[in-house]
Amino acid sequence: MARCHQRKRKQTRAVRSLSSSPSLAVAVVAVALLTHGAADLTFGRRVNSSLDTEARKKFLRGSRRRARAEGSVRGGSSKVNLLVKYKNGSAHTRSLSNYESNNSTPHTWQAHTTSISTISEDSHIAAVEIDANEIDLVIDEMMADGDIVLVEEDFPMYKYPYNSIQTFDTPDQYLHLRHKQRLLTHRQNRTLMESQQYGIAQTQASAIWALTESKPNKYLNSPVKVCIVDTGYDSSHEDLPKVGVTSTNTGYGDPLQDGDGHGTHCAGVIGAVGNNGRGIVGVNPDPTKFSFHIAKALNDDGMGTASSVLKGIKGCISSGSKIISMSLGGGPKSSIFNELYKEAYDNDVLVFAAAGNVGAMRDDYPASYPLVVSVGAVDRFRNRANFSNWNDQLELMGPGKDIVSTFPGNGYGMLSGTSMATPYVAGVAALVWGYFPQCSNQQIRNVLARSARSMTSSGVGCNRRTGFGLVQAKSAFDLLDKYGCAAGGQNYSPPSAGGVGGCDQPLADVSKLTPVSDLNTASFSTGVASGNGCQRLFLKMLTDDYAYETSWELKRADNGEILDFGPPGSRNFEDKTEYIGPASGCLDAGIYEFSIIDLFGDGLTAPAYYSVSLNGEELIKNSNFGHKETTTFTINNSPAEVIQQPDWTPLLFENFSNGFGKFNDGGSNVMHVGNKFGRSGLVMMKKGTTDFEQASVYSENIPVKNRGFMNFKVVFSFYANSMEVNDRFCLDYSSNGASKWSRAKCWRSGGDFDNGKWNDNETCEFRPSVNFAANSIRIRFRGFSSE
């Protein structure tokens, strides 16, 4: 709704034409916007030149020798293992088990396979085992198979530093990489502070604990699920979370057991339990503020395959994990893996992987994929560890030398490597993201990079040896607290388009951002004086993928009168959108009921949630409330509401003195003029007919999320020249990133104003939503013909 004020005076509003013809043109100066509260696998053989290009693209580069040798990973067998990506829906129907169940006979190359098993049905990937001496025949037939999109070898993968030990000559370097497995004596009387490792302070994790614990009502947490793809997890360990731990079995036994210890060590770095008087403390010491998903993709010797890791990653995505931590590597660059990381990124998942432990410049995978955050290691003195790999994709550094963490059998072990640095950085991501769940994976990634402690010789910037630097949790938190998600830059469509990696990752220029604290003058109120005793109910909600199922209502318990409800009107809430704002006006003394309803009956799917507060005190916060959840609260007294004129906070000011400034440069019927009609700095718009978009200028999108703004006011001056009767000059707005514009007000020639006069300090107030605060806002001026 809009309320636009027109002064009662004989002066007329304005327009002037861009030509001598009597067509509409508008000159605008001094606009202010304000708001207030509220590759080919040919195996070394020649490919028949008659085969088409698409068939060749199915196979990645390699050699027959490598394919045959790959069988040796299976214990010296004469088998070759491949990964096959089918067209939609073929991964299951082409498996041998499916043929057996249907009593049918497989055709072409499938008759020569030992096994075909589905890795991912929805991604159409299968693992195929064949006799090595039939590889030539099978490849020829695969190339002619219209169901096959891509074929790669199922290469070995391993925990770091499994394959790197042999590259070092000295015992000292060996110890840095191979366990250095001194089990530490567990002392029950050891205090939590004594068991905090240097990495906790080095990454600023404890600073976030202190801040959020001191202001629990201001900093609300939405638990983040973290997936570890490794050797498993000792679920019986006294210092690791027990509740809410889910898992994916990739064929190496129970994921919640760990015969190697590497995975359990990584888990302790991320989330060893705090305040229990035992062992160590992880980056996320409160198990109620995050959860684990465990994908046992490596066996008890720390070895696995591409297929097992693929299964693990798919399990992470399916579990709803927001963060994936992988302290492993092996194999060449893979198109199948690259597509899977794209799937994860486009599903708002952030993946971290260890850069590797050779201490040289090289591309190790998975860390070197652009959609994966590559993590290097530092020592306790913040120096780059000598074993830490580096390349153009290296992005962040974490503590990775002499790291003490949990080990199977209620033990504790000391390990070194980028394997340890990775869970530190992934843990920081989980810690920060939990307090800013409305931000995307891209924005969290960028904020971590922007806020990292640079390790370049100049102390600023990024290089390929240390990336953006050492991850800093509190600095990242502060950036988001100050600027909101805008600190992480823009979101891309699809999201994976923004994943570049390394020093080329597109970060936001925070110097051009407006602090959210400057966008909020006092409160969420719409004209209610602070401190007057008015008691209001406030709702904060992050919707899930099925927002249309969600609604709420507030009513009096004594007579059932419904006082307010949402969503407003006949509209639905938007998917994955945060809503913040008042759920009531000033409430009189009485008993009230707030109810939230889900049509399907499964509540909100985490990380989605809702919370209700009264006078700053949180009454409830929940996600899985089923069909309906009702909160009853009592107000004993409610003083009379006192109205005062609201304070307005400037969001944008532009006087067009240096061109279009904060507005776009307009369409073909818009121009900037340095001096005209006795004023300097004007934007002139010719009237629009069928294409009025060419006669408009609009502002930048201004983020106002989390500030509770509901009302906006535009103050501007304009001049009309040669405007015909009923031609209009209009002000539009768009909120929450919507592509559709809404009209705030149109001024009509011959009724609202006449030609040839300046109209100074014209004002128009508007409110995008009746019930909820805006997340972003922008405005548009346009000329509109009556024709």
Side-chain angles (χ1 to χ4, degrees), residues 97-119:
S97 59
N98 185 65
Y99 284 109
E100 292 170 359
S101 63
N102 293 324
N103 294 318
S104 57
T105 303
H107 56 84
T108 65
W109 61 268
Q110 292 171 290
H112 304 281
T113 61
T114 304
S115 68
I116 305 176
S117 59
T118 302
I119 294 177

Side-chain angles (χ1 to χ4, degrees), residues 281-348:
V281 58
V283 176
N284 297 268
D286 187 344
T288 68
K289 294 183 177 181
F290 83 103
S291 62
F292 275 133
H293 183 84
I294 307 300
K296 187 179 176 69
L298 306 179
N299 64 20
D300 288 344
D301 291 323
M303 289 292 296
T305 63
S307 56
S308 64
V309 174
L310 284 169
K311 288 179 183 178
I313 296 171
K314 284 297 297 185
C316 298
I317 299 172
S318 300
S319 73
S321 297
K322 301 292 286 184
I323 291 171
I324 300 177
S325 178
M326 298 192 297
S327 296
L328 48 76
K333 187 176 183 179
S334 158
S335 293
I336 291 178
F337 268 102
N338 192 57
E339 289 184 16
L340 187 56
Y341 295 130
K342 183 179 185 299
E343 177 187 338
Y345 214 89
D346 289 340
N347 280 278
D348 205 30

Side-chain angles (χ1 to χ4, degrees), residues 335-406:
S335 293
I336 291 178
F337 268 102
N338 192 57
E339 289 184 16
L340 187 56
Y341 295 130
K342 183 179 185 299
E343 177 187 338
Y345 214 89
D346 289 340
N347 280 278
D348 205 30
V349 180
L350 193 52
V351 184
F352 298 87
N357 301 326
V358 177
M361 178 177 147
R362 55 183 279 174
D363 294 338
D364 278 4
Y365 296 94
S368 294
Y369 292 103
L371 297 174
V372 175
V373 180
S374 178
V375 180
V378 302
D379 60 21
R380 65 174 62 250
F381 305 108
R382 299 191 183 94
N383 298 315
R384 172 182 162 272
N386 60 358
F387 54 77
S388 185
N389 286 1
W390 52 282
N391 63 13
D392 290 336
Q393 285 295 317
L394 186 64
E395 199 160 323
L396 290 169
M397 307 293 282
K401 189 171 182 180
D402 298 339
I403 303 301
V404 176
S405 185
T406 49

